[in-house]
Amino acid sequence: MGHRDLPRGRRAALPDCPRRLSSKHPSPCQRGCAGRMLRHRPHEESPMAAKSSWAAFPHDARGFAYAGDALKKAWPELHAGDTEPYPDAKRAAALLHAAGKAAPKGVDADSLAAQLQEAWRAFHRGDFKAAHDAGVALGPIGASVAVKALGIHATYLVDDEAERLKRFEQAAKLAEAAVKALPDDANSHYRYAFALGRYSQGLSIAKALKAGIAGKVRTALEATLDLAPKHAEAHTAMALYHAEIIGKIGAMVGGLTYGAKTAEAEKHIAMALKLTPDSPIAHIEHGNVLMLLHGDKKEDAAAAEYEKAAKLKPLDAMETLDAAYAASQLE
């Protein structure tokens, strides 16, 4: 089921819009989205990093370095969508305490903070492999940046469908470990919903529903919003949860079987737009929700949302990919 974000605005597939929107590419639904300098032995080798190629970010990233204090200053805007706390020493100490035995060995709060900051710098400038690898090296504590980097890269920069599915499956495993180690962290649940939702999009709707993935995604999103009511990407993902089920199997069956409701989809996407009005993905997913719920009747309104997304000034590599995707879908 459908992020940055399901989570950060990247849906399974854009409904057929013959006049103003192109359906040549899948709509990324859920992103929701890395330092190279590792000072300790990684928790585990990442199959994705070891065996798969990572296409480079295809745009100019010079404006997304966020060196030194620039990262902290820009953090509230960069993470308005996923409410990720800034990884300073205080946050790092809290993560180490909460993770307990799952925390990386031989790493103190200052060192962890520095490594997480470098991981996120890499993510924001589009060095997704470095972000992923640095996050994986930190175990569940680094899963948030690792899953987001793996997911955004797979969404936009991996063409092979089988490879993309493998990456989302790997992301779901990383996120699931984070849920176990850090159950009180909102993004543990959100990254799991995002990865599992994107993985399910590589399956048939019947197979995904039969496997119970829809219920798992919804449970994870509800946990996210219980912990972080202003998590815009989770609101976007929840809107897509309702809209995709209705769009695929109808309002009556979707409502009776999965509790999917048009009013809920509209409520959640409205909240996402209120919280992040300048986020390209929020507008992209609003367009997708309109098409899923109303079809051709809302085609012009959906196209207008894509136009808004394409014109917004991106703050980092992820938003650059979002905006470029929106532009590519317009005639």
Side-chain angles (χ1 to χ4, degrees), residues 37-43 103-108 111-112 115 134-139:
M37 305 302 291
L38 303 179
R39 298 184 180 84
H40 64 282
R41 184 179 182 84
H43 266 51
K105 303 297 185 286
V107 179
D108 61 20
S111 175
L112 177 60
Q115 291 183 62
V136 167
L138 294 170

Side-chain angles (χ1 to χ4, degrees), residues 8 80-82 232-233 236 271-280 282-283:
R8 190 172 188 162
D82 65 6
E233 292 181 14
T236 297
M271 179 59 73
L273 288 166
K274 180 180 179 180
L275 292 168
T276 53
D278 296 324
S279 167
H283 291 283

Side-chain angles (χ1 to χ4, degrees), residues 259-297:
K261 299 178 181 178
T262 296
E264 287 295 300
E266 293 172 340
K267 179 185 77 173
H268 283 290
I269 197 64
M271 179 59 73
L273 288 166
K274 180 180 179 180
L275 292 168
T276 53
D278 296 324
S279 167
I281 201 64
H283 291 283
I284 290 171
E285 297 298 21
H286 185 204
N288 290 337
V289 167
L290 289 171
M291 291 301 299
L292 284 164
L293 294 178
H294 306 291
D296 289 348
K297 292 189 232 179

Side-chain angles (χ1 to χ4, degrees), residues 54-239:
W54 289 72
F57 177 63
H59 303 281
D60 185 356
R62 286 175 294 180
F64 307 140
Y66 295 111
D69 291 339
L71 179 67
K72 184 176 182 179
K73 183 177 180 180
W75 193 267
E77 288 185 296
L78 288 169
H79 289 274
D82 65 6
T83 68
E84 179 77 21
Y86 180 69
D88 56 15
K90 182 178 179 181
R91 165 68 172 167
L95 287 170
L96 289 169
H97 177 74
K101 293 182 179 180
K105 303 297 185 286
V107 179
D108 61 20
D110 288 336
S111 175
L112 177 60
Q115 291 183 62
L116 286 172
Q117 289 167 29
E118 282 305 306
W120 282 110
R121 284 191 184 93
F123 173 83
H124 291 303
R125 68 173 179 264
D127 193 347
F128 297 118
K129 182 180 186 303
H132 166 268
D133 291 353
V136 167
L138 294 170
I141 283 178
S144 186
V145 65
V147 172
K148 192 165 187 176
L150 187 58
I152 295 304
H153 187 275
T155 295
Y156 287 123
L157 300 176
V158 174
D159 292 327
D160 183 76
E161 291 186 12
E163 177 63 22
R164 191 182 304 120
L165 194 64
K166 288 179 185 178
R167 295 197 183 201
F168 286 124
E169 184 177 23
Q170 174 66 12
K173 290 177 181 178
L174 291 172
E176 188 172 24
V179 170
K180 292 178 181 178
L182 299 168
D184 294 328
D185 189 78
N187 276 331
S188 293
H189 301 278
Y190 174 72
R191 305 297 182 212
Y192 180 63
F194 161 70
L196 194 62
R198 291 294 285 130
Y199 172 74
S200 77
Q201 291 167 7
L203 310 175
S204 69
I205 184 67
K207 191 172 183 179
L209 293 175
K210 185 177 180 180
I213 294 178
K216 293 177 182 178
V217 169
R218 180 169 183 168
T219 296
L221 290 175
E222 288 174 343
T224 303
L225 291 171
D226 283 344
L227 292 164
K230 293 186 178 181
H231 198 297
E233 292 181 14
H235 281 290
T236 297
M238 189 65 89

